[in-house]
Amino acid sequence: FQLGPRPMLQAVSSLIFGNEPSKMDIEVEKVLEAFIDVQDDIERSNKIKDRANDYFKNQHYDMAIELYTAAIDAAPSAVLYGNRSMAYLKKELYGSALNDADNALAIDNNYIKGYYRRATANMALGRFKKALKDYEIAKKHAPNDKDALAKFTECSKIVKRINFEKAIAGDDKKKSVVTTLNLNEMEVESSYDGPHLGDEITREFIDLMIEHFKTQKKIHRKYAFKILIEIRKWFMAQPTLVDISVPDGNKFTICGDVHGQFYDLVNIFDLNGAPSEKNPYLFNGDFVDRGSFSVETIFTMFAYKLLLPNHFFMSRGNHESDVMNKMYGFEGEVKNKYSAQMCELFTELFNYLPLCHLINQKVFVCHGGLFKQEGVTLDDIRKTDRVRQPPDEGIMCDLLWSDPYSLNGRAPSKRGVGCQFGPDVSEKWCKDNGVDYVVRSHEVKVEGWEEHHNGRVYTVFSAPNYCDQMGNKGAFITIKGDNLTPRFTSFSEVPHPTVPPMAYASSLFGFM
């Protein structure tokens, strides 16, 4: 009881449920034990905060969050809530970050970082007008702060652009970027030393393209646009839920988030074999953003999809969206390597990506997870209109954003969209829909994968040492057509050129 409510609850839970404490739980308790004899609540809170700051600086955000929580339990303050909000932002838990920013400002409405934290979380969730209000307040509080002015100015531009686009949209559907392109007019200069694309994608072209990418060179924009135009046609014809049939004895591989880590993507093919008719793959969303080789990653995947349309599959993730691409680097990277026009085409064709896949009628694969609403069926999913930017509610939102958690029932998502769903939800949904288990991605895991809900849900994440800082392994799942039991292969990161993650991200994510 001297340690405070968090270790006490962990101890009670262990006694009642027989739960083994995790390594992090043990580490948290060791930190807190060092301050048992500190009687003054504020002094104890400050000492715990200092240790939390150390973990934060070393990018151990989960530990930092636990310790900030313990410090808040001892003596809450605006700074503590602000610091924990920042840690939640690093974990992309925008709902929790918003709540903590609100708590910080409720304690001290002059706490400038609280407005920055709240604005950043709202930006990530596409709530630009709310973010703008907070940037404006921050600018007023710090009129001589150049960073405050820059963030306010950039956010203002985004809001004005959105308002302008709405004003000119009218009732007519916006014309496709494809209608503005004329590939015949795009000359391939004699100085171009990359692979040349003929009428169709060939394996030789893909192999040469990958080697070209490894040397940090681009394919010619004519060939890049040709790939995008062709892949758009393919995805336009796909359903929202794609059925996959894996014959008895045949292997099938499922990968999770890659996030622009091109060199790790290539390593997956080195470890598990290149995609082929005998070696099919499904990549489960979040192909781009954060990693600074997203262009190379997405063109490699699209090329394989064109080569092997019935043996290479791609599900949309929450990062295949306009808002995320603007914030987390993909738009900036495409503009840097190609053009704003190509950004528009990517935004358009990402809307056509399928939301989920069903393997042999038994394995359901989506990026996020299950549903806030009870009773959603496979047929409901099939009928869902996916050709749009992700909404804040509904089936499409949940498929892209939701997460499993350990308690029964449903709870609001720490991300600010989607929901958290418990073991009873997974059990019922799988039984009602005749599904053995759900494979999803969306979360970093230490070994690259994790089992949830007594085997009804599995997470797979395929970006090792995520953002060059998380220290996690990546993983992929293999199954057989006549044996759907998942097998997991974990792997470590491989070297890549010294371009840091988020190199092309919005300056609005220069956190304060």
Side-chain angles (χ1 to χ4, degrees), residues 52 59 183 217 269 272 288 318 370-371 380 420 431 484 504:
Q59 300 168 349
L183 297 184
K217 294 181 179 179
F269 298 149
N272 191 56
V288 300
N318 63 300
L370 298 181
F371 311 97
D380 293 329
Q420 296 182 97
K431 284 185 176 179
L484 298 177
Y504 304 97

Side-chain angles (χ1 to χ4, degrees), residues 178-357:
V178 172
T179 63
T180 69
L181 297 172
N182 187 339
L183 297 184
N184 293 327
E185 292 181 354
M186 295 183 187
E187 180 184 354
V188 179
E189 300 82 2
S190 59
S191 59
Y192 172 68
D193 63 351
H196 291 266
L197 178 58
D199 292 336
E200 294 183 351
I201 293 281
T202 64
R203 186 169 293 277
E204 180 185 15
F205 172 81
I206 295 176
D207 291 343
L208 290 172
M209 181 178 68
I210 289 173
E211 292 305 311
H212 196 64
F213 285 159
K214 285 180 181 179
T215 64
Q216 293 184 266
K217 294 181 179 179
K218 303 179 295 182
I219 58 171
H220 194 276
R221 70 186 187 99
K222 178 175 183 174
Y223 304 142
F225 274 119
K226 182 178 176 65
I227 289 172
L228 297 183
I229 291 169
E230 293 303 314
I231 203 71
R232 175 179 172 273
K233 292 177 187 176
W234 179 263
F235 285 129
M236 283 178 71
Q238 295 298 290
T240 295
L241 190 162
V242 175
D243 289 282
I244 300 173
S245 178
V246 181
D248 288 356
N250 286 26
K251 183 179 83 168
F252 190 89
T253 301
I254 307 169
C255 297
D257 305 38
V258 176
H259 274 300
Q261 295 185 197
F262 167 73
Y263 295 86
D264 294 309
L265 170 67
V266 174
N267 186 46
I268 292 173
F269 298 149
D270 290 340
L271 294 170
N272 191 56
S276 69
E277 291 185 358
K278 293 184 178 180
N279 193 29
Y281 280 84
L282 164 57
F283 281 85
N284 196 27
D286 283 11
F287 320 119
V288 300
D289 280 338
R290 288 197 173 272
S292 296
F293 304 96
S294 292
V295 165
E296 292 81 1
T297 297
I298 198 65
F299 277 118
T300 299
M301 289 185 171
F302 282 171
Y304 271 122
K305 179 63 181 174
L306 291 173
L307 179 71
L308 303 161
N310 298 312
H311 297 87
F312 192 94
F313 302 91
M314 299 172 70
S315 292
R316 189 175 188 175
N318 63 300
H319 276 265
E320 279 69 60
S321 73
D322 186 48
V323 169
M324 289 291 168
N325 295 163
K326 281 177 167 53
M327 299 304 297
Y328 284 96
F330 183 57
E331 180 179 285
E333 184 180 345
V334 175
K335 285 181 177 178
N336 181 272
K337 295 177 179 179
Y338 288 101
S339 66
Q341 185 184 38
M342 187 176 288
C343 290
E344 291 182 42
L345 184 51
F346 269 114
T347 298
E348 181 185 332
L349 71 85
F350 281 164
N351 285 345
Y352 291 108
L353 286 167
L355 298 183
C356 46
H357 293 75

Side-chain angles (χ1 to χ4, degrees), residues 421-434:
F421 58 96
D424 58 326
V425 175
S426 299
E427 181 71 20
K428 186 175 187 306
W429 190 86
C430 287
K431 284 185 176 179
D432 288 350
N433 289 278

Side-chain angles (χ1 to χ4, degrees), residues 4-7 41 44-45 66 68-76 80 84:
R6 180 164 296 274
D41 288 343
R44 184 167 68 255
S45 179
E66 291 296 310
Y68 285 135
T69 301
I72 289 168
D73 289 342
L80 282 170
R84 192 172 68 176

